Amino acid sequence: MNEKICIYCKEPFDPSRGEGDHVLPIALFGEFAGDVRFRGCCTACNNSFGVYEQILMQATSLGYLRQFAPVRRRGRSPGTRQRGAKGSKAPQHTVRAFGYGQLVSPLTDPRQVQPKDQITICDEAGIEHHVQLFEGMTAGQLKARIRKLGIGNVSSVFCSVTERLAEVFRRLVKEVFPTLTYKALPDTEVGKSTVPGRISFEFSADADRAIGKMAFHYYLTHNQRGYDGSEREFSAIRQYLRHGGNPDSFFGQPGPEFRMPFGEDASGVVWTPSNWCHVLLAYEVEKQIVVYMRLFAGPDHIGEEYQVTLGSIAGKLILPSGIWGHAYLRDDSRADRYDGHVEAVEPERLA
C-alpha cells in the first residue's frame, strides 16, 4: 500500500483510494477536465471540509451565483435553491415597492421573483422587519415570530397578501396590532414589473474555512518547492482549517496586487469573460505565500474576490518564477461529464 500521513490529523491513509480533494468543490463549481486533485489529506478530514462547503453553497453569494451556471451532477438534476445550512440562514430576497421592502421568492431564474404573503414591520429607528404569513396562522404564532425578531416600538405595519387570503390576514394583523390605524392601499395589478431588489446573506464564519481550504490545496498541488502541506510554515493555516480560529490572520492581509487575465480597456476597466470561469493565482515572492481567487467571473460580472495569505517561506531557494495561475473555464457545450476545463495562465499576465 502506498501509505501517506494526513497533513491535518497525522494519521496514515492510502492516497490512491478515493478521488482526492477537488480544489474547487464539484457541488459548487462543477468538475473540470485537467484539474489536479490534492491527495495529502485522509478521507475523514476531507469529508469534514464538506460541512463548510455546504454553508458556502447554501447560504452565501457564491451559492447564489452558482444558479446562473448550474453544475452537472453526473446525470442528476442540479438543485439550485439555497436553503441555508448548519445554522446559517437561507438568503433573504426582498424588493422595494410602494415605499417599503417586501419578501419575495426567487423562481428558476433568480432574477425573477414572486411575492409572499407577509407583513413588513417598521420600528421607531426606521429598521424594517419581515414576517412571512401562512394559511392557518394564529395570532399567537404571529406574536411569537415577532418576539423572536426582537423588534422594539412599532411605528407602522404594511400587510402584503394575495387576494384569496386578504381578508383572513387583515383580521389576523388587526388582532395582533389592535391599536394601529388601518389604511387600505391600492391593489397591485397582476403581471410582471421591474423593481429594485436586494439579497441579504447571513452565514457562519466557517464558510471562510472552505475558502481557505481551496486556496491552501490549490497552492500545494502546484507549488514548485515540493511542499506537501505538513511543513511548519503552514502550521497556522492547518490549525485554522481543522479547528477554526481568527480568519483575520489569513484574509485581508497586505499583499501583492494581481491583475485579471481577461484584459482591460484604456480607462482601466477590466473586461469580463463571455462565459463563466474561476481564476486562481499563486504568489510566493519575498518569502510571502499568497493565493488570490476570482470566483464566478462571467458575463457582466467581475467575480467574487478572495485573497488568502498562507504563510511565509523559511528557505532561501530562489525560483525562476514565483507567480502562476490557472483558469477554470466553463463550457456548456461539452458532451462529456465535465463542466469545462483548466488552462494555465501566463505569469506575465498576472502581476
Side-chain angles (χ1 to χ4, degrees), residues 68-99:
F68 295 96
V71 173
R72 302 180 192 180
R73 295 301 305 277
R74 295 177 182 174
R76 291 178 290 170
S77 175
T80 58
R81 186 63 58 84
Q82 291 181 279
R83 296 181 174 85
K86 309 302 179 183
S88 296
K89 297 182 179 180
Q92 185 180 74
H93 298 249
T94 58
V95 298
R96 191 143 197 95
F98 309 105

Side-chain angles (χ1 to χ4, degrees), residues 26-315:
I26 291 180
L28 183 58
F29 298 100
E31 189 168 12
F32 295 82
D35 188 21
V36 179
R37 300 173 192 173
F38 178 64
R39 297 184 180 274
C41 64
C42 67
T43 300
C45 287
N46 193 29
N47 288 343
S48 70
F49 294 128
V51 175
Y52 319 133
E53 293 168 354
Q54 186 179 1
I55 296 172
L56 205 66
M57 179 170 63
Q58 293 289 358
T60 72
S61 58
L62 288 177
Y64 174 77
L65 289 169
R66 171 182 177 267
Q67 298 173 80
F68 295 96
V71 173
R72 302 180 192 180
R73 295 301 305 277
R74 295 177 182 174
R76 291 178 290 170
S77 175
T80 58
R81 186 63 58 84
Q82 291 181 279
R83 296 181 174 85
K86 309 302 179 183
S88 296
K89 297 182 179 180
Q92 185 180 74
H93 298 249
T94 58
V95 298
R96 191 143 197 95
F98 309 105
Y100 63 96
Q102 301 177 41
L103 289 173
V104 291
S105 297
L107 300 176
T108 303
D109 182 339
R111 292 165 294 191
Q112 299 180 7
V113 297
Q114 63 184 9
K116 296 180 179 181
D117 292 324
Q118 67 196 278
I119 58 174
T120 301
I121 304 172
C122 299
D123 62 23
E124 288 185 332
I127 299 174
E128 295 181 349
H129 309 267
H130 306 283
V131 181
Q132 186 173 353
L133 305 176
F134 56 86
E135 190 170 3
M137 190 177 204
T138 66
Q141 291 172 322
L142 179 53
K143 289 178 180 178
R145 294 198 173 199
I146 294 171
R147 283 195 300 270
K148 189 174 182 180
L149 290 174
I151 302 172
N153 294 328
V154 175
S155 64
S156 58
V157 178
F158 297 92
C159 184
S160 305
V161 295
T162 54
E163 184 177 4
R164 184 177 70 86
L165 296 171
E167 190 56 38
V168 173
F169 286 138
R170 284 169 186 162
R171 290 197 300 266
L172 175 64
V173 173
K174 284 184 177 181
E175 185 178 353
V176 175
F177 300 99
T179 62
L180 293 181
T181 301
Y182 175 78
K183 178 182 178 181
L185 298 175
D187 291 335
T188 56
E189 295 183 8
V190 177
K192 295 182 179 180
S193 59
T194 301
V195 292
R198 179 177 181 178
I199 308 173
S200 300
F201 301 95
E202 185 176 340
F203 51 89
S204 165
D206 282 338
D208 288 336
R209 294 163 72 178
I211 295 293
K213 187 272 295 185
M214 286 185 247
F216 188 35
H217 288 189
Y218 170 74
Y219 172 78
L220 293 176
T221 54
H222 295 285
N223 81 90
Q224 305 168 67
R225 297 176 181 271
Y227 287 147
D228 64 10
S230 64
E231 294 80 9
R232 61 184 180 86
E233 287 91 338
F234 307 114
S235 58
I237 189 69
R238 287 197 307 269
Q239 174 73 17
Y240 167 68
L241 295 180
R242 191 176 185 212
H243 301 291
N246 183 6
D248 294 343
S249 301
F250 311 99
F251 295 89
Q253 292 293 319
E257 292 187 4
F258 291 95
R259 290 189 300 164
M260 295 305 293
F262 313 125
E264 57 187 45
D265 63 20
S267 65
V269 175
V270 177
W271 295 329
T272 57
S274 58
N275 201 358
W276 296 98
C277 72
H278 317 288
V279 180
L280 281 72
L281 315 173
Y283 176 98
E284 53 169 39
V285 179
E286 298 177 354
K287 298 187 176 182
Q288 190 178 32
I289 303 177
V290 179
V291 171
Y292 176 90
M293 295 187 289
R294 183 76 72 164
L295 305 175
F296 283 110
D300 301 319
H301 189 262
I302 192 60
E304 301 292 293
E305 181 183 43
Y306 302 91
Q307 186 160 306
V308 186
T309 300
L310 300 177
S312 299
I313 301 170

Side-chain angles (χ1 to χ4, degrees), residues 328-344:
Y328 290 65
L329 304 170
R330 289 185 60 93
D331 181 2
D332 297 329
S333 65
R334 294 184 69 102
D336 54 20
R337 75 172 192 267
Y338 294 107
D339 293 89
H341 66 281
V342 181
E343 287 186 5

